[in-house]
Amino acid sequence: MESKRQQKFSRLIQKELAEVFQRETTHLFGGAYISVSTVRVSPDLGMARIYLSVMLAPNKEELLQELRVNTKTIRHHLAQRIKSQVRVIPELVFYLDDSAEYAAHIDKLFTGIEIPPTDKDYNTDDYIEDIDNDNK
C-alpha cells in the first residue's frame, strides 16, 4: 500500500512525464504515441517504475529498448520540470503496460462463449423440488 506521499509523487511524475513524451521527446521515438498509464514509486522516492501504453509503434519491444537507452534524456527533461517541487529526481525504470491488450483478449474470449438458450418450459420450482427429493 502506497503512502499519501508516494501517491502524490506518483501523480506528479505521471503528469509531467506525459508532457515530456508529448512535447519534448517525440523526435526520439519515431512518432509513436506514448502515454503513461501508471507510476509506482519506492518508499524512499528514489526509484519510479513507469508503465507505458504505446500506440502507432511497429514494434513495442524495440520502442521499449529505445526508451531505456534514452532514459537519461527523459530524466533530464523531467528534472527540468519538477526540480523546484522535489529534492531528488528518481531513477526511471520503464515497462510496457499490457492491461489494455489483456482486457481486449478477455473480451474476445467472452464474446466467443456460446451459451445455450434456456428452455422456456423449464420451471425453477420443479428443479428445486427435484433437489429436495434427491436429498431425502
Side-chain angles (χ1 to χ4, degrees), residues 14-38:
Q14 183 176 7
K15 177 181 167 282
E16 296 301 333
L17 270 180
E19 290 289 321
V20 167
F21 285 131
Q22 297 307 310
R23 293 191 172 36
E24 298 171 15
T25 60
T26 54
H27 63 282
L28 294 176
F29 308 113
Y33 180 77
I34 301 171
S35 63
V36 181
S37 57
T38 309

Side-chain angles (χ1 to χ4, degrees), residues 30-49:
Y33 180 77
I34 301 171
S35 63
V36 181
S37 57
T38 309
V39 175
R40 301 272 185 241
V41 180
S42 64
D44 67 350
L45 308 180
M47 186 183 78
R49 288 178 298 226

